């Protein structure tokens, strides 16, 4: 079940609101609200300028409060990957939610159908991706059962996922979409809405040219699919996809009508390693792990933020240079520790008790390690805690 979105009376971080950033205990996940707000505004302006819908991926921040901020800034809604994430976003007041992933288990599809009816009753909409005929049939059965049980008439929007280069879910581009679109259209509780075309591998290709080539190939697959559908009298509908790393490429193609970029809000270290496409807004790092030096030796120091505080699937975190922080690199991590060394031989190390701010390698799984995010306004060192954000969908894996 989704977690409640209202702050709990015993929220251990509630006391921090109004206090200086220095009062935040370590390790803690902290968002620079000023940087985040600039990222939010730049993305909203980019989409307005290019006439694109924005449906940011809430699996990145897992926070209904942040999802509401994105909607207030112009997003049409959010997308998620899990049924439980969709439930958490809906419980937090988001009425337009897209599960951009396949759901085939009957018990999950029953929840999907119930959520579709609940959102419809609130004037909202639930959408979902499919890539198989059995998946479509099972979805229709669940929707029909929910209709019988509730007396409702909700319709769920269905997007056919095509594999445009990720090599994960999705059917091959082209004619394979036609029988599936026909299958969707057979069921009154399902509405064929368009194509899911997300190229995840392209997000972290390091050069802008590599990303442009990958998305050009993806666009060819989308166009071939759209033509196959239209040849059979089926309107292809909306094409949704794109991410923070490649969004300028999808935009320039003229093929996509909706972007699913999510990491732009926080920007992790892995995205910072990409060569920036000049056609894309400049996003700033906004998410940090506050840590403290707990041990010092002649050759290295150790801070108190290890694997349990930040994910390293996309590499070790980067030390954020701020104020008097020496130039450091993280050279290793364990459960509760990160080892720090001087970036240059013989360089200075931090002192015992010093604060070290880490930029996570991958923001999505890092957020999933924390119950709350502490929001600071006015800078990480001199700023003030303005709010705490509950990670509503933490552990939402089903």
């Amino acid at each position: 079940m989704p977690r409640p979105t209202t702050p709990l009376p015993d929220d251990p971080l509630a006391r921090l609101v109004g206090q200086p950033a220095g009062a935040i205990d370590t390790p803690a996940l902290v968002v620079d609200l000023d940087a985040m707000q600039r990222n939010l505004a730049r993305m909203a302006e980019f989409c307005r300028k290019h006439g694109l819908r924005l449906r940011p991926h809430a699996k990145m921040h897992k926070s209904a409060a942040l999802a509401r901020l994105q909607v207030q800034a112009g997003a049409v809604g959010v997308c998620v990957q899990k049924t439980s994430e969709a439930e958490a976003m809906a419980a937090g007041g988001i009425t337009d939610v897209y599960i951009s992933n396949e759901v085939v288990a009957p018990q999950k599809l029953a929840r999907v159908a119930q959520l579709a009816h609940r959102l419809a009753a609130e004037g909202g909409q639930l959408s979902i991706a499919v890539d198989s005929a059995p998946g479509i049939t099972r979805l229709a059965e669940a929707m029909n059962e929910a209709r019988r049980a509730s007396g409702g008439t909700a319709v769920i929007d269905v997007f056919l996922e095509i594999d445009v280069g990720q090599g994960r879910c999705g059917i091959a581009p082209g004619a394979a979409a036609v029988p599936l679109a026909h299958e969707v259209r057979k069921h009154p509780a399902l509405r064929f809405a368009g194509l899911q075309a997300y190229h995840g591998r392209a997000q972290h290709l390091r050069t802008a040219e590599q990303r442009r080539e990958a998305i050009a190939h993806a666009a060819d697959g989308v166009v071939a699919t759209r033509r196959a559908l239209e040849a059979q009298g089926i309107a292809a509908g909306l094409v949704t996809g794109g991410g923070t790393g490649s969004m300028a490429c999808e935009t320039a193609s003229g093929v996509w009508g909706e972007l699913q970029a999510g990491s732009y809000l926080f920007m992790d270290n892995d995205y910072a390693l990409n060569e920036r496409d000049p056609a894309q807004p400049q996003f700033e790092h906004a998410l940090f792990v506050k840590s403290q030096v707990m041990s010092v030796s002649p050759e290295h120091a150790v801070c108190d933020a290890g694997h349990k505080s930040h994910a390293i699937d996309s590499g070790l975190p980067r030390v954020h240079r701020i104020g008097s922080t020496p130039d450091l690199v993280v050279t290793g991590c364990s459960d509760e520790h990160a080892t720090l060394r001087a970036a240059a031989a013989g360089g200075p190390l931090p002192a015992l008790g010093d604060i070290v701010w880490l930029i996570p390698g991958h923001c999505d799984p890092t957020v999933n390690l924390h119950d709350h995010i502490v929001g600071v306004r006015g800078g990480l060192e001199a700023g003030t805690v303005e709010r705490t954000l509950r990670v509503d969908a933490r552990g939402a894996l089903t």
Side-chain angles (χ1 to χ4, degrees):
M1 293 295 293
R3 297 182 177 208
T5 58
T6 52
L8 298 179
D10 60 349
D11 176 356
L13 299 181
R15 61 177 177 76
L16 287 173
V17 176
Q19 295 195 48
I24 303 169
D25 200 2
T26 60
L29 193 62
V30 178
V31 61
D32 181 335
L33 294 173
D34 299 303
M36 186 191 77
Q37 195 68 42
R38 290 190 291 270
N39 290 342
L40 190 69
R42 287 166 186 161
M43 176 60 91
E45 174 57 28
F46 179 86
C47 289
R48 282 194 296 269
K49 176 182 176 182
H50 294 283
L52 289 169
R53 292 160 52 102
L54 174 62
R55 183 180 294 278
H57 235 306
K59 74 179 179 68
M60 191 277 292
H61 54 65
K62 290 179 169 277
S63 164
L66 290 179
R68 292 194 298 270
L69 282 179
Q70 291 175 311
V71 171
Q72 290 164 13
V76 298
V78 298
C79 51
V80 297
Q81 288 288 81
K82 297 290 186 173
T83 303
S84 50
E85 288 178 334
E87 291 166 335
M89 291 300 109
I94 304 302
T95 58
D96 193 331
V97 182
Y98 171 39
I99 304 174
S100 56
N101 199 11
E102 285 67 32
V103 178
V104 297
Q107 64 270 35
K108 291 187 179 72
L109 286 170
R111 289 161 52 197
V112 167
Q114 291 165 7
L115 182 58
H117 280 77
R118 188 158 73 247
L119 286 175
E122 299 170 1
Q125 181 64 47
L126 184 67
S127 310
I128 194 166
V130 300
D131 70 353
S132 70
I136 294 167
T137 301
R138 293 178 188 184
L139 175 62
E141 290 171 350
M143 287 294 294
N144 291 337
E145 179 58 34
R147 282 183 164 196
R148 286 189 291 269
S150 68
T153 58
V155 174
I156 189 168
D157 280 347
V158 177
F159 288 82
L160 294 183
E161 181 166 11
I162 57 174
D163 182 359
V164 291
Q166 174 74 5
R168 193 169 59 190
C169 298
I171 58 173
V178 174
L180 293 185
H182 279 306
E183 182 64 28
V184 171
R185 286 153 58 97
K186 284 168 44 180
H187 302 284
L190 312 185
R191 178 169 48 222
F192 178 59
L195 302 175
Q196 161 76 10
Y198 173 67
H199 193 337
R201 290 183 179 178
Q203 305 313 308
H204 303 287
L205 295 174
R206 292 308 180 203
T207 72
E209 182 58 31
Q210 286 175 318
R211 296 193 295 277
R212 283 192 287 268
E213 290 177 0
I215 299 305
H217 179 73
D220 289 342
V222 174
V223 170
T225 307
R226 190 166 58 191
R227 286 174 178 165
L229 291 168
E230 291 171 350
Q232 297 299 314
I234 303 171
L238 177 69
V239 178
T240 180
T244 298
S246 66
M247 53 182 269
C249 307
E250 279 94 354
T251 300
S253 74
V255 171
W256 280 262
E258 182 176 87
L259 297 178
Q260 297 175 1
S263 295
Y264 75 90
L265 195 66
F266 287 166
M267 288 303 289
D268 54 38
N269 187 52
D270 191 63
Y271 269 114
L273 297 176
N274 282 358
E275 175 192 19
R276 179 171 171 256
D277 188 330
Q280 191 157 311
Q282 179 71 62
F283 298 119
E284 305 172 45
H285 292 299
L287 188 74
F288 303 88
V289 174
K290 182 184 180 184
S291 68
Q292 187 172 41
V293 175
M294 57 190 290
S295 178
V296 178
S297 75
E299 299 298 327
H300 68 270
V302 178
C303 67
D304 59 358
H307 296 158
K308 294 179 183 178
S309 301
H310 52 80
I312 64 167
D313 59 298
S314 294
L316 295 171
R318 179 161 59 90
V319 176
H320 181 53
R321 294 202 68 185
I322 182 172
S324 59
T325 303
D327 193 5
L328 302 169
V329 292
V330 178
T331 59
C333 287
S334 55
D335 285 359
E336 312 292 354
H337 308 85
T339 303
L340 309 168
R341 298 184 185 275
L349 291 170
L352 195 69
D354 279 359
I355 296 300
V356 176
W357 296 90
L358 304 176
I359 302 170
H362 190 181
C363 49
D364 303 36
T366 293
V367 169
N368 196 51
L369 295 169
H370 296 262
D371 287 322
H372 297 85
I373 307 172
V374 181
V376 171
R377 183 80 67 183
L380 297 177
E381 286 196 314
T384 300
V385 176
E386 182 176 285
R387 64 188 303 186
T388 60
L389 298 155
R390 188 170 177 80
V391 183
D392 305 284
R394 181 188 180 188
L397 304 177
T398 62

